Amino acid sequence: SFMRSPLAKRDLASPENTMTIKLLQLNIEHGKRIETIVDYIRSGSFDIVCLQEVTSGKFSPMGINTYEVLRNKTELDGQLAPYVGFRGDVSSFFANATLWKRSYSLISSQVIWLKRYEEMTSVQMDFRKSPRSALAILFAIGEKKLMVVNTHLAWGPTPDDRVYQKNQAEKLYQWIKTHRQDPFVLTGDFNLNPHTFTVGRLSSLGNNLTKRFKITNTLNPRTHRVKALFPSGLPVDYIIADERLTIKKFFVEEKVDLSDHLGLIVEFSL
Protein backbone atom coordinates (compact mmCIF):
# COMPACT_ATOMS: atom_id res chain seq x y z
CA SER A 1 0.00 0.00 0.00
CA PHE A 2 1.01 3.64 -0.35
CA MET A 3 3.12 4.49 2.69
CA ARG A 4 3.13 8.10 3.85
CA SER A 5 5.72 9.84 5.97
CA PRO A 6 5.37 13.09 7.91
CA LEU A 7 6.38 16.18 5.95
CA ALA A 8 8.49 18.99 7.30
CA LYS A 9 7.04 22.45 6.62
CA ARG A 10 8.73 24.32 3.81
CA ASP A 11 8.56 27.82 2.41
CA LEU A 12 6.07 28.25 -0.39
CA ALA A 13 7.40 28.82 -3.89
CA SER A 14 5.39 32.01 -4.47
CA PRO A 15 3.09 34.41 -2.61
CA GLU A 16 0.12 33.01 -4.55
CA ASN A 17 0.87 29.55 -3.13
CA THR A 18 1.29 28.10 -6.62
CA MET A 19 4.26 26.73 -8.51
CA THR A 20 4.75 25.73 -12.12
CA ILE A 21 5.95 22.23 -12.99
CA LYS A 22 7.33 21.22 -16.39
CA LEU A 23 6.95 17.53 -17.29
CA LEU A 24 8.17 15.43 -20.22
CA GLN A 25 6.51 12.17 -21.30
CA LEU A 26 8.53 9.98 -23.71
CA ASN A 27 8.84 6.38 -24.89
CA ILE A 28 12.62 6.27 -25.48
CA GLU A 29 12.69 3.28 -27.89
CA HIS A 30 15.20 1.29 -25.82
CA GLY A 31 17.43 4.38 -25.61
CA LYS A 32 18.65 4.19 -29.21
CA ARG A 33 19.24 7.96 -29.20
CA ILE A 34 20.31 8.23 -25.57
CA GLU A 35 22.73 11.15 -25.98
CA THR A 36 20.10 13.23 -27.82
CA ILE A 37 17.60 12.46 -25.05
CA VAL A 38 20.10 13.46 -22.35
CA ASP A 39 20.82 16.76 -24.13
CA TYR A 40 17.10 17.44 -24.59
CA ILE A 41 16.28 16.80 -20.92
CA ARG A 42 19.18 18.95 -19.75
CA SER A 43 18.36 21.86 -22.07
CA GLY A 44 14.62 21.63 -21.40
CA SER A 45 14.93 22.24 -17.64
CA PHE A 46 12.27 19.64 -16.87
CA ASP A 47 11.09 19.14 -13.30
CA ILE A 48 9.72 15.63 -13.92
CA VAL A 49 10.50 13.17 -16.74
CA CYS A 50 8.39 10.03 -17.34
CA LEU A 51 10.00 7.42 -19.60
CA GLN A 52 9.05 4.03 -21.06
CA GLU A 53 11.16 1.36 -22.81
CA VAL A 54 14.09 2.05 -20.51
CA THR A 55 16.47 -0.87 -21.06
CA SER A 56 19.70 -2.39 -19.87
CA GLY A 57 22.03 -5.22 -20.81
CA LYS A 58 20.64 -7.68 -23.35
CA PHE A 59 17.51 -5.56 -23.90
CA SER A 60 19.57 -2.47 -24.76
CA PRO A 61 20.69 -2.00 -28.40
CA MET A 62 24.03 -0.71 -27.09
CA GLY A 63 24.25 -3.16 -24.19
CA ILE A 64 24.24 -0.30 -21.69
CA ASN A 65 22.12 0.63 -18.68
CA THR A 66 20.13 3.50 -20.17
CA TYR A 67 18.60 4.38 -16.78
CA GLU A 68 21.99 4.96 -15.16
CA VAL A 69 23.16 7.03 -18.14
CA LEU A 70 20.03 9.19 -17.97
CA ARG A 71 20.11 9.66 -14.22
CA ASN A 72 23.82 10.43 -14.04
CA LYS A 73 24.05 12.73 -17.05
CA THR A 74 20.86 14.71 -16.31
CA GLU A 75 21.75 14.95 -12.61
CA LEU A 76 18.15 14.17 -11.68
CA ASP A 77 16.90 11.84 -8.97
CA GLY A 78 15.00 8.84 -10.24
CA GLN A 79 13.28 5.56 -9.73
CA LEU A 80 13.34 2.52 -11.99
CA ALA A 81 10.51 -0.01 -12.30
CA PRO A 82 11.57 -3.06 -14.36
CA TYR A 83 8.70 -5.25 -15.55
CA VAL A 84 10.69 -7.66 -17.72
CA GLY A 85 13.98 -9.32 -16.76
CA PHE A 86 16.36 -11.76 -18.43
CA ARG A 87 16.79 -15.16 -16.79
CA GLY A 88 20.19 -15.51 -15.17
CA ASP A 89 21.21 -11.92 -15.86
CA VAL A 90 20.08 -9.34 -13.31
CA SER A 91 21.71 -6.51 -15.30
CA SER A 92 19.26 -6.92 -18.21
CA PHE A 93 15.80 -5.37 -17.92
CA PHE A 94 12.94 -3.59 -19.68
CA ALA A 95 11.39 -0.86 -17.53
CA ASN A 96 9.52 2.35 -16.86
CA ALA A 97 11.47 5.12 -15.13
CA THR A 98 10.62 8.48 -13.61
CA LEU A 99 13.21 11.20 -13.02
CA TRP A 100 12.74 14.37 -11.00
CA LYS A 101 14.42 17.52 -9.77
CA ARG A 102 16.48 16.93 -6.65
CA SER A 103 14.65 19.63 -4.70
CA TYR A 104 11.51 17.46 -4.75
CA SER A 105 10.98 15.08 -1.83
CA LEU A 106 9.82 11.54 -2.48
CA ILE A 107 7.13 10.59 0.03
CA SER A 108 6.40 7.13 -1.32
CA SER A 109 6.36 4.98 -4.44
CA GLN A 110 4.64 1.86 -5.66
CA VAL A 111 4.70 -0.41 -8.69
CA ILE A 112 1.17 -1.26 -9.85
CA TRP A 113 1.23 -4.64 -11.57
CA LEU A 114 -1.04 -4.83 -14.60
CA LYS A 115 0.49 -8.17 -15.68
CA ARG A 116 3.02 -9.75 -13.34
CA TYR A 117 6.81 -9.54 -13.70
CA GLU A 118 8.55 -12.24 -15.73
CA GLU A 119 12.07 -13.21 -16.68
CA MET A 120 12.58 -14.02 -20.35
CA THR A 121 15.03 -16.36 -22.05
CA SER A 122 15.07 -14.27 -25.23
CA VAL A 123 14.99 -10.57 -26.06
CA GLN A 124 12.44 -11.36 -28.77
CA MET A 125 9.28 -10.81 -26.73
CA ASP A 126 5.64 -11.14 -27.71
CA PHE A 127 4.57 -7.67 -26.62
CA ARG A 128 0.92 -8.71 -26.51
CA LYS A 129 1.73 -11.20 -23.75
CA SER A 130 4.63 -9.51 -21.96
CA PRO A 131 4.34 -8.12 -18.41
CA ARG A 132 3.18 -4.55 -17.79
CA SER A 133 3.22 -2.19 -14.83
CA ALA A 134 2.82 1.43 -13.77
CA LEU A 135 5.12 3.37 -11.46
CA ALA A 136 3.31 5.68 -9.03
CA ILE A 137 5.32 8.24 -7.07
CA LEU A 138 4.01 10.68 -4.49
CA PHE A 139 6.09 13.85 -4.20
CA ALA A 140 6.27 16.70 -1.73
CA ILE A 141 6.84 19.91 -3.67
CA GLY A 142 7.07 22.81 -1.29
CA GLU A 143 4.12 22.29 1.05
CA LYS A 144 2.07 20.57 -1.65
CA LYS A 145 1.82 16.99 -2.85
CA LEU A 146 1.65 15.56 -6.37
CA MET A 147 1.24 11.95 -7.49
CA VAL A 148 2.81 11.02 -10.84
CA VAL A 149 1.83 7.71 -12.46
CA ASN A 150 3.96 6.51 -15.40
CA THR A 151 2.90 3.51 -17.48
CA HIS A 152 3.37 1.58 -20.72
CA LEU A 153 0.14 -0.25 -21.52
CA ALA A 154 -0.07 -3.51 -23.47
CA TRP A 155 0.65 -3.55 -27.18
CA GLY A 156 -1.85 -4.81 -29.73
CA PRO A 157 -1.69 -5.59 -33.46
CA THR A 158 -3.91 -2.54 -34.07
CA PRO A 159 -4.56 0.59 -31.96
CA ASP A 160 -8.04 -0.70 -31.04
CA ASP A 161 -8.33 -2.29 -27.63
CA ARG A 162 -8.52 -6.02 -26.98
CA VAL A 163 -9.93 -7.71 -23.88
CA TYR A 164 -6.48 -8.19 -22.31
CA GLN A 165 -5.73 -4.47 -22.76
CA LYS A 166 -9.02 -3.49 -21.12
CA ASN A 167 -8.42 -5.86 -18.21
CA GLN A 168 -4.92 -4.56 -17.53
CA ALA A 169 -5.93 -0.90 -17.82
CA GLU A 170 -8.86 -1.50 -15.46
CA LYS A 171 -6.39 -2.38 -12.70
CA LEU A 172 -4.68 0.95 -13.24
CA TYR A 173 -7.99 2.82 -13.33
CA GLN A 174 -9.12 1.30 -10.04
CA TRP A 175 -5.78 2.00 -8.36
CA ILE A 176 -5.75 5.68 -9.32
CA LYS A 177 -9.42 6.06 -8.42
CA THR A 178 -8.69 4.94 -4.86
CA HIS A 179 -5.40 6.86 -4.46
CA ARG A 180 -6.22 10.33 -5.74
CA GLN A 181 -6.49 12.18 -2.47
CA ASP A 182 -3.72 14.40 -3.84
CA PRO A 183 -3.58 15.89 -7.36
CA PHE A 184 -2.17 13.44 -9.92
CA VAL A 185 -0.75 13.23 -13.43
CA LEU A 186 -0.98 9.97 -15.42
CA THR A 187 1.45 9.71 -18.33
CA GLY A 188 2.43 6.98 -20.73
CA ASP A 189 2.47 5.14 -24.00
CA PHE A 190 -0.99 3.54 -24.04
CA ASN A 191 -0.60 1.86 -27.48
CA LEU A 192 -4.24 2.80 -28.18
CA ASN A 193 -6.12 5.47 -30.11
CA PRO A 194 -8.22 8.11 -28.27
CA HIS A 195 -11.55 6.57 -29.28
CA THR A 196 -11.04 3.24 -27.48
CA PHE A 197 -12.92 2.19 -24.36
CA THR A 198 -9.65 1.94 -22.45
CA VAL A 199 -8.51 5.50 -23.18
CA GLY A 200 -12.00 6.79 -22.40
CA ARG A 201 -12.02 4.95 -19.08
CA LEU A 202 -8.66 6.39 -18.00
CA SER A 203 -9.61 9.84 -19.34
CA SER A 204 -12.61 9.89 -17.02
CA LEU A 205 -10.18 10.25 -14.11
CA GLY A 206 -9.06 13.71 -15.24
CA ASN A 207 -8.21 15.94 -18.17
CA ASN A 208 -6.84 14.04 -21.21
CA LEU A 209 -4.54 16.62 -22.77
CA THR A 210 -3.85 14.59 -25.91
CA LYS A 211 -7.58 14.65 -26.65
CA ARG A 212 -8.25 18.15 -25.36
CA PHE A 213 -5.55 19.67 -27.58
CA LYS A 214 -6.69 17.53 -30.54
CA ILE A 215 -3.32 15.85 -31.03
CA THR A 216 -3.57 13.55 -34.06
CA ASN A 217 -0.11 11.92 -33.93
CA THR A 218 2.51 11.13 -31.28
CA LEU A 219 4.72 8.86 -33.43
CA ASN A 220 7.86 10.11 -35.16
CA PRO A 221 7.38 9.86 -38.96
CA ARG A 222 11.13 10.21 -39.56
CA THR A 223 12.21 7.27 -37.36
CA HIS A 224 9.22 4.95 -36.87
CA ARG A 225 9.70 1.59 -38.57
CA VAL A 226 6.01 1.21 -39.62
CA LYS A 227 6.01 3.65 -42.53
CA ALA A 228 2.45 2.68 -43.51
CA LEU A 229 1.19 4.69 -40.51
CA PHE A 230 2.23 7.96 -42.11
CA PRO A 231 1.65 10.71 -43.04
CA SER A 232 -1.39 10.66 -40.74
CA GLY A 233 0.23 8.84 -37.79
CA LEU A 234 -1.53 7.91 -34.56
CA PRO A 235 -1.99 9.49 -31.13
CA VAL A 236 -0.96 6.72 -28.69
CA ASP A 237 0.89 8.70 -25.98
CA TYR A 238 -1.07 10.52 -23.30
CA ILE A 239 -0.94 12.88 -20.37
CA ILE A 240 -4.05 12.84 -18.18
CA ALA A 241 -4.00 15.60 -15.57
CA ASP A 242 -6.06 15.96 -12.42
CA GLU A 243 -8.81 18.59 -12.74
CA ARG A 244 -7.27 20.34 -9.72
CA LEU A 245 -4.19 21.24 -11.78
CA THR A 246 -4.10 24.35 -13.98
CA ILE A 247 -2.65 23.62 -17.43
CA LYS A 248 -0.46 26.48 -18.65
CA LYS A 249 1.10 24.91 -21.75
CA PHE A 250 0.95 21.59 -23.62
CA PHE A 251 2.65 20.61 -26.86
CA VAL A 252 4.20 17.76 -28.81
CA GLU A 253 7.94 17.93 -29.59
CA GLU A 254 7.97 17.36 -33.35
CA LYS A 255 11.35 18.83 -34.29
CA VAL A 256 13.85 16.72 -32.32
CA ASP A 257 14.32 13.01 -33.08
CA LEU A 258 14.30 11.53 -29.56
CA SER A 259 12.92 8.09 -30.50
CA ASP A 260 10.21 6.52 -32.66
CA HIS A 261 7.73 8.45 -30.47
CA LEU A 262 7.35 12.20 -30.06
CA GLY A 263 7.76 13.76 -26.63
CA LEU A 264 4.76 15.32 -24.87
CA ILE A 265 5.48 18.38 -22.74
CA VAL A 266 3.11 19.93 -20.21
CA GLU A 267 3.51 22.89 -17.88
CA PHE A 268 1.01 23.10 -15.06
CA SER A 269 0.57 24.86 -11.75
CA LEU A 270 0.12 23.00 -8.49
Side-chain angles (χ1 to χ4, degrees), residues 2-13:
F2 233 49
M3 300 298 294
R4 293 169 179 263
S5 58
L7 293 177
K9 290 215 167 186
R10 297 171 177 82
D11 292 333
L12 300 181

Side-chain angles (χ1 to χ4, degrees), residues 106-135:
L106 185 150
I107 302 173
S108 53
S109 67
Q110 183 173 335
V111 176
I112 308 150
W113 288 104
L114 312 179
K115 187 174 187 297
R116 65 179 179 79
Y117 177 86
E118 279 184 63
E119 291 186 338
M120 304 293 180
T121 55
S122 168
V123 295
Q124 301 302 318
M125 289 185 280
D126 182 343
F127 285 98
R128 289 170 292 185
K129 298 177 181 177
S130 68
R132 296 286 170 175
S133 71
L135 173 60

Side-chain angles (χ1 to χ4, degrees), residues 1-231:
S1 62
F2 233 49
M3 300 298 294
R4 293 169 179 263
S5 58
L7 293 177
K9 290 215 167 186
R10 297 171 177 82
D11 292 333
L12 300 181
S14 69
E16 297 83 17
N17 193 13
T18 64
M19 57 199 76
T20 299
I21 296 165
K22 187 177 183 183
L23 180 149
L24 168 67
Q25 149 60 32
L26 178 68
N27 177 323
I28 69 168
E29 191 190 8
H30 306 209
K32 289 179 181 177
R33 295 169 177 81
I34 191 74
E35 295 301 332
T36 305
I37 294 168
V38 166
D39 291 344
Y40 187 81
I41 292 172
R42 288 179 65 96
S43 63
S45 301
F46 294 101
D47 301 299
I48 300 172
V49 179
C50 298
L51 306 171
Q52 301 85 43
E53 290 196 17
V54 178
T55 56
S56 179
K58 290 183 172 66
F59 293 107
S60 166
M62 298 81 69
I64 62 170
N65 185 324
T66 53
Y67 172 69
E68 290 299 331
V69 171
L70 285 160
R71 198 179 61 168
N72 293 336
K73 292 195 174 183
T74 62
E75 298 178 349
L76 297 171
D77 277 338
Q79 190 150 112
L80 181 74
Y83 52 88
V84 174
F86 197 90
R87 194 165 299 164
D89 179 6
V90 294
S91 68
S92 296
F93 58 73
F94 208 89
N96 299 318
T98 301
L99 307 174
W100 62 88
K101 209 161 64 170
R102 289 183 174 176
S103 59
Y104 291 5
S105 299
L106 185 150
I107 302 173
S108 53
S109 67
Q110 183 173 335
V111 176
I112 308 150
W113 288 104
L114 312 179
K115 187 174 187 297
R116 65 179 179 79
Y117 177 86
E118 279 184 63
E119 291 186 338
M120 304 293 180
T121 55
S122 168
V123 295
Q124 301 302 318
M125 289 185 280
D126 182 343
F127 285 98
R128 289 170 292 185
K129 298 177 181 177
S130 68
R132 296 286 170 175
S133 71
L135 173 60
I137 297 182
L138 185 64
F139 294 106
I141 304 172
E143 287 191 345
K144 301 194 173 186
K145 296 176 190 174
L146 174 71
M147 183 174 71
V148 176
V149 183
N150 168 8
T151 194
H152 190 181
L153 297 184
W155 185 85
T158 72
D160 300 310
D161 42 10
R162 271 56 177 178
V163 171
Y164 66 90
Q165 290 170 298
K166 292 180 184 178
N167 291 344
Q168 290 180 31
E170 183 65 18
K171 294 177 184 177
L172 180 59
Y173 170 85
Q174 293 296 341
W175 192 94
I176 295 173
K177 191 178 177 185
T178 56
H179 290 84
R180 55 178 180 176
Q181 299 91 335
D182 302 301
F184 75 90
V185 178
L186 167 63
T187 82
D189 173 4
F190 290 5
N191 276 313
L192 293 165
N193 74 57
H195 310 296
T196 53
F197 171 86
T198 298
V199 173
R201 182 81 159 148
L202 293 169
S203 300
S204 71
L205 293 165
N207 184 358
N208 185 328
L209 303 182
T210 302
K211 291 178 78 172
R212 173 180 159 185
F213 286 85
K214 298 180 171 59
I215 304 302
T216 58
N217 175 48
T218 64
L219 302 175
N220 189 336
R222 295 179 297 272
T223 60
H224 202 283
R225 62 186 176 83
V226 185
K227 299 303 178 187
L229 292 172
F230 303 100

